[in-house]
Amino acid sequence: MAGVFLSYRRVESDWATKLARSLANRFGKDLVFQDVEDIAGGDRWRDRIQAAIETAEIVLVVIGPQWLVDEQQRRRLDDPEDVLRAELSEALKLGRAIIPVLVGGATMPASDDIPGELADLSEHQAMSLADSAWNENLERLLERVRGLLLPGRDTEPLERVQREVHERQVEFFALLDQDRLADALEVAQRTLDTLNRVSPLYPDDLELQTARGYTYKNCGIGLRDFGRADEAASNLDQADAVFDTLLEEYPDDPAAWDGKGSVLATRGDLEASLPYFERAIELKPDYVEARRNRDMVVQALGARSDP
């Protein structure tokens, strides 16, 4: 089930992907549908998109400067076969909550500029994601999304969830040390399931967002040790995306720097990882984990240079 459906044109994909990463960090990847990421090869894409809109609670319509008229001065929205037109028509017909999201300096199209069946789109209050104030605007948008997603979901105490996630991370490495790889991977997957369940309740909790990145990294470590290189690389890519997004949104968070460094180190990019650990320690001098990670990397680099 996709809680949030992202509607956008390919020309707006950079903005849409950046937004999707933030949504996935806050609410869980399973609650966000982005067609490029979520339609597998061989799928009937029209059926997949329609099914995603049917199960979505919110439709975010990313509107950029070429959303209505492209560089060739074509009004693709006037084409009855236009995919984006079909998405919006379905969302409006089903009465989904719709938020137009203005990017790249775009303004909201007037109702007269939109085909009749989509005219109601202009009645939905737009929110702006200006490049120059992205993080500030993003917080307002995410708070609105949270308000729409939260009703009907069971609450769980944040402290209990944080403790559960931490205990599972400790359990993961204990199992890994015992070469119980399958059990370790099961624990990591259960951790992701927990995060996906509770993240919509606490989208502003940085500890849970960071835990998501570390859990993807843990999955990557376990899969790598299992010899499943492609799956390991995919999980490390997801961990990378989490920490890159956190560094964009929270540049002074030491855990984001340590997390990014740990992903690089796991990939074997030891020299590239060092500045991230150093920055984490600079921000938090008593950061035990970052110091340990840095020392392990320094030791490994020293071993490489020994004759």
Side-chain angles (χ1 to χ4, degrees), residues 1-37:
M1 176 177 289
V4 181
F5 182 95
L6 274 180
S7 172
Y8 63 97
R9 294 206 182 280
R10 289 293 176 270
V11 71
E12 286 127 18
S13 61
D14 286 348
W15 288 296
T17 297
K18 187 176 181 180
L19 175 56
R21 284 167 44 195
S22 292
L23 289 165
N25 275 16
R26 305 297 185 94
F27 301 108
K29 192 175 187 298
D30 289 349
L31 255 70
V32 183
F33 183 93
Q34 183 185 12
D35 56 0
V36 173
E37 299 287 337

Side-chain angles (χ1 to χ4, degrees), residues 54 64 80 100 103-104 114 117 142 218 235 237 246 250 263 284 293:
E54 286 177 352
V103 298
I114 303 175
E117 68 183 86
L142 293 177
N218 292 349
N235 275 271
D237 286 345
L246 289 175
Y250 307 100
V263 174
K284 185 180 178 183
N293 289 336

Side-chain angles (χ1 to χ4, degrees), residues 235-280:
N235 275 271
L236 291 176
D237 286 345
Q238 293 188 78
D240 232 352
V242 169
F243 289 121
D244 282 343
T245 301
L246 289 175
L247 287 173
E248 290 171 3
E249 295 184 19
Y250 307 100
D252 294 328
D253 176 46
W257 289 92
D258 177 69
K260 174 70 176 182
S262 67
V263 174
L264 289 169
T266 301
R267 291 187 189 276
D269 298 332
L270 300 184
E271 291 185 356
S273 72
L274 270 179
Y276 290 92
F277 296 134
E278 295 289 0
R279 179 58 177 157

Side-chain angles (χ1 to χ4, degrees), residues 4 38 52 67 105 140 275:
V4 181
D38 295 319
W67 185 82
R140 286 197 289 269

